[in-house]
């Protein structure tokens, strides 16, 4: 589903770009002059986990298979113009999706091997946006930034761990994101689709409590961090 959305987004971008190249009348000619402006955004994401392993007495060949459902992003935009081609943006919002972890190195019933991990983040990114000069009614850009993410669904403080069926992750997380996009100047607002990648900096794994023989779910894992891509549609 996400691949179809991305394909439609790219096709739409190329269509509007072709139209913008032919358009001679500038729309919203003074839009970029104010020091501040505001907006909102909507989007969809497909966020999974990057998993790396460490030597473990539990197994010699750990394997965690990660699958994820399409989630959503929604939030607000506050934009500060630093230069004609540089903007600093604060984009607070919510980012949510569900991941399924399958521990293939564990033998047993599916309810032992599989954990469903829901994640709803308060996403607080600070973004630096670098744009080209305006070309008629469109303007390509690249962006990058760092964010603090608070996971409402982490279960970090839950005393139940995987032995009770709960896979826990950290509540406070640091992430960075990179992306590319295009500003389209329309008659009444600016529409800006972008494709972004998001990457966790810290290890989000909360290890299981000490048990005789260790934990077959968390002991073999060295690092578990969010990795994902999302389609971001802003209206300013």
């Amino acid at each position: 589903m996400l691949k179809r959305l991305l394909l439609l987004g790219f096709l739409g971008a190329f269509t509007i770009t072709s139209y913008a190249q032919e358009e001679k009348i500038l729309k919203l000619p003074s839009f970029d002059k104010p020091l501040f402006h505001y907006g909102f955004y909507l989007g969809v994401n497909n966020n999974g986990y990057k998993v790396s392993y460490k030597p473990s007495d539990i197994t010699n060949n750990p394997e965690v298979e990660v699958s994820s459902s399409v989630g959503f992003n929604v939030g607000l935009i506050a934009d500060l113009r630093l230069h004609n081609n540089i903007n600093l943006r604060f984009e607070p919002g919510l980012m949510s999706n569900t991941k399924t972890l399958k521990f293939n190195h564990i033998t047993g019933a599916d309810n032992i091997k599989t954990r469903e991990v829901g994640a709803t983040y308060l996403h607080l990114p600070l973004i630096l946006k670098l744009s080209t000069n305006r070309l008629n009614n469109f303007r390509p850009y690249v962006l990058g930034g760092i964010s603090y993410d608070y996971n409402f669904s982490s279960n970090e403080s839950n005393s139940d761990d995987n032995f009770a069926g709960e896979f826990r992750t950290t509540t406070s997380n640091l992430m960075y994101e990179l992306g590319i996009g295009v500003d389209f100047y329309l008659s009444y607002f600016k529409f800006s689709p972008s494709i972004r990648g998001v990457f966790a900096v810290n290890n989000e794994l909360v290890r299981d409590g000490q048990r005789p023989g260790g934990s077959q779910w968390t002991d073999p894992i060295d690092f578990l961090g969010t990795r994902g891509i999302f389609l971001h549609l802003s209206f300013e």
Side-chain angles (χ1 to χ4, degrees), residues 132-143:
T132 67
N133 292 331
R134 180 170 172 169
L135 306 170
N136 291 325
N137 287 316
F138 77 102
R139 194 178 193 188
Y141 61 84
V142 297
L143 55 83

Side-chain angles (χ1 to χ4, degrees), residues 178-189:
L178 302 170
I180 58 172
V182 181
D183 289 333
F184 295 105
Y185 298 82
L186 306 180
S187 297
Y188 299 104
F189 62 91

